[in-house]
Amino acid sequence: MAIPKLGGWVPLRVYQDREPFMIDWCYLGDRRFVEPFYDQTIGACLEHPFNLLFRQQTTAAVLVERNRQDPGLKPSGFIFHMSRSGSTLIARMLAALPQNIVISEASPINSILKLRFTSGQISEQQNVEWLQAMVGAMGQPRSGSEQHFFIKFEAWHVLMLHMIRKAFPNVPWIFTYRDPIDVLVSQMDHLGQIVPSALHYSLFGEDANSVVSMPPEEYSAIVLAAICNAALSNHQDGGMLINYSQLPDAVCSSISDFFGVHWTDEEMAAMMNITGRHSKTPDQTFRNDSQKKREKATDEVRQAAERWLDPMYELLEKSRIEAGPQH
Amino acid sequence: MNDLERFREVVLADEGLQQQLRDTKDTTSFMKLMIHLGQLRGYEFTESEVEEALTAARRTWIERRIG
């Protein structure tokens, strides 16, 4: 099989105009992923006219063959989260060090994980192979100094943990969570990730009619509870639970230990230096807004949190504490 | 397939050409270089064709981000 020279190229998008899918690649060279999200780095690269005009296009088979020939760095750790719970901060702290490749909520990975919902007749084994190949494409060293490779997934991806673990059974993973009211208030401010059209309701055990008639607070709480439950049910299989309140210090200590990576004092200082900025909008100074969020919580948010999320939060806390002081 | 599309395929298979074009970030200079490199290899296309292709690619990316 002829494989185009893809050194320095990264997957830009997955699309399905030819079965099973095609991949567009964007030239990144040795540019690092330092923006809060994968698509932001890609978007910055597309400001260059070359990248607008020239994209490699390959089939899924080429992606798999390329991974077989050149699998890239093995992932050091995966980051899952209930959303709005500090995972972007963790990713940005890790991305502060040039030896780390940090992929944050990459849309091509999302596309691969959604394939079984958007295409019929795909076996889990096939999906696993494509996921391995896509991750392999993103873990390619491009500057020569990379040693570690981390992936932050989208919140709903923890529902696909069984498949991700099949693809990467030995990669340790963490799940971040936060006080339910803080998360729900943020969700109400940023509706989009967890509205019915964005994710398939069947993933959360709901049907179309009930989703459409449900208040957004309740729907968001049900989705978040399903996400937390997936982490809770599986955390003993290579996982570690992290409460938002443990951040940022846990990144340099328990999380790094769990991922099997270690930093010098200078490297830890560089990571902590990130924490003064807002993680998703780094041009803004970070302010702890938990108190403000609680004041902003409506009765509907409080009721939804109490009914769907508080029991889950208590179970997560119990499991985390039982797991021991290093967790 | 027109000459611009053919030349784009030639570039995607030629790392030397890619490097020359990547070294030129300014859009106007980039378009001029595209035309020059294309002509050297027998491909004829205009600045407005390159500009249209850039605009279409930019629009596609923005639509995808919104959609």
Side-chain angles (χ1 to χ4, degrees):
Chain A
M1 181 186 297
I3 298 184
K5 289 180 178 171
L6 291 169
W9 295 76
V10 298
L12 165 68
R13 67 166 183 141
V14 168
Y15 56 105
Q16 291 180 271
D17 70 345
R18 196 190 307 174
E19 286 295 326
F21 61 86
M22 297 284 293
I23 304 110
D24 270 358
W25 301 71
C26 172
Y27 187 81
L28 219 62
D30 60 4
R31 182 188 176 114
R32 298 185 60 240
F33 286 98
V34 290
E35 287 76 10
F37 296 97
Y38 186 85
D39 280 358
Q40 291 174 340
T41 302
I42 297 291
C45 282
L46 290 179
E47 288 171 14
H48 195 300
F50 175 87
N51 284 329
L52 276 173
L53 221 46
F54 294 99
R55 295 174 196 175
Q56 299 284 4
Q57 293 181 307
T58 70
T59 60
V62 167
L63 179 75
V64 170
E65 178 58 20
R66 201 275 185 116
N67 188 53
R68 195 187 64 76
Q69 292 181 14
D70 197 357
L73 292 181
K74 177 183 173 293
S76 305
F78 291 152
I79 302 160
F80 296 95
H81 54 98
M82 75 179 289
S83 80
R84 326 299 303 183
S85 53
S87 60
T88 306
L89 174 67
I90 297 171
R92 296 211 66 240
M93 287 175 70
L94 293 169
L97 304 182
Q99 67 266 46
N100 295 340
I101 301 174
V102 183
I103 298 296
S104 186
E105 304 199 7
S107 55
I109 288 180
N110 189 51
S111 298
I112 296 290
L113 289 172
K114 281 202 303 197
L115 276 176
R116 298 189 78 199
F117 303 103
T118 55
S119 304
Q121 312 266 321
I122 292 176
S123 71
E124 184 175 69
Q125 187 48 44
Q126 183 63 80
N127 217 159
V128 162
E129 187 176 42
W130 288 332
L131 177 62
Q132 290 169 330
M134 183 58 77
V135 167
M138 292 179 178
Q140 294 292 325
R142 287 177 289 107
S143 74
S145 64
E146 299 93 335
Q147 297 169 25
H148 310 298
F149 175 28
F150 305 94
I151 296 179
K152 187 188 103 158
F153 288 88
E154 293 189 23
W156 78 272
H157 292 169
V158 75
L159 298 166
M160 307 298 283
L161 197 54
H162 59 285
M163 193 170 87
I164 295 168
R165 293 292 290 167
K166 272 193 180 171
F168 300 97
N170 300 316
V171 176
W173 57 276
I174 62 168
F175 177 79
T176 67
Y177 59 99
R178 185 177 180 179
D179 181 279
I181 285 183
D182 291 357
V183 178
L184 262 188
V185 168
S186 280
Q187 282 297 341
M188 293 303 102
D189 287 344
H190 301 89
L191 275 179
Q193 184 180 19
I194 294 192
V195 293
S197 60
L199 292 177
H200 201 279
Y201 44 79
S202 65
L203 275 168
F204 311 104
E206 296 295 328
D207 62 63
N209 288 336
S210 59
V211 163
V212 169
S213 60
M214 213 176 265
E217 294 85 355
E218 187 174 5
Y219 181 76
S220 294
I222 289 173
V223 170
L224 293 171
I227 286 168
C228 290
N229 190 45
L232 191 60
S233 306
N234 293 288
H235 79 279
Q236 287 174 324
D237 177 24
M240 180 165 87
L241 303 172
I242 296 288
N243 191 314
Y244 177 81
S245 64
Q246 296 173 266
L247 301 176
D249 294 358
V251 178
C252 297
S253 53
S254 54
I255 294 174
S256 292
D257 290 347
F258 187 66
F259 285 163
V261 290
H262 302 285
W263 320 112
T264 65
D265 288 347
E266 290 77 18
E267 287 166 343
M268 284 193 273
M271 288 199 287
M272 292 303 285
N273 193 38
I274 292 289
T275 64
R277 313 304 303 174
H278 192 283
S279 59
K280 291 187 172 72
T281 48
D283 53 331
Q284 295 175 15
T285 305
F286 172 76
R287 288 186 183 84
N288 188 327
D289 58 353
S290 290
Q291 184 59 34
K292 200 184 273 184
K293 281 186 164 63
R294 279 161 213 173
E295 288 165 7
K296 203 175 165 185
T298 61
D299 287 346
E300 288 78 8
V301 162
R302 290 180 193 284
Q303 285 161 13
E306 190 178 319
R307 179 176 176 196
W308 298 102
L309 286 170
D310 286 354
M312 200 58 71
Y313 182 82
E314 283 168 23
L315 287 170
L316 284 164
E317 277 293 84
K318 185 168 178 286
S319 295
R320 179 179 68 83
I321 291 160
E322 280 175 1
Q326 75 278 19
H327 283 233
Chain B
M1 191 184 278
N2 60 31
D3 266 13
L4 175 57
E5 287 163 356
R6 285 190 200 94
F7 181 61
R8 284 166 82 172
E9 292 200 347
V10 168
V11 172
L12 282 170
D14 185 328
E15 288 187 317
L17 279 176
Q18 290 173 28
Q19 191 57 55
Q20 284 186 69
L21 289 162
R22 281 199 289 265
D23 286 343
T24 310
K25 193 171 182 182
D26 169 69
T27 302
T28 306
S29 308
F30 176 84
M31 290 193 295
K32 289 187 190 311
L33 183 61
M34 277 282 291
I35 291 163
H36 174 67
L37 293 173
Q39 280 173 342
L40 288 177
R41 287 156 185 80
Y43 298 96
E44 293 293 334
F45 46 85
T46 64
E47 200 166 300
S48 65
E49 284 179 88
V50 180
E51 195 166 15
E52 272 176 37
L54 284 168
T55 304
R58 196 174 288 115
R59 190 187 309 121
T60 302
W61 171 247
I62 291 168
E63 285 171 357
R64 195 172 302 133
R65 292 202 74 181
I66 294 169

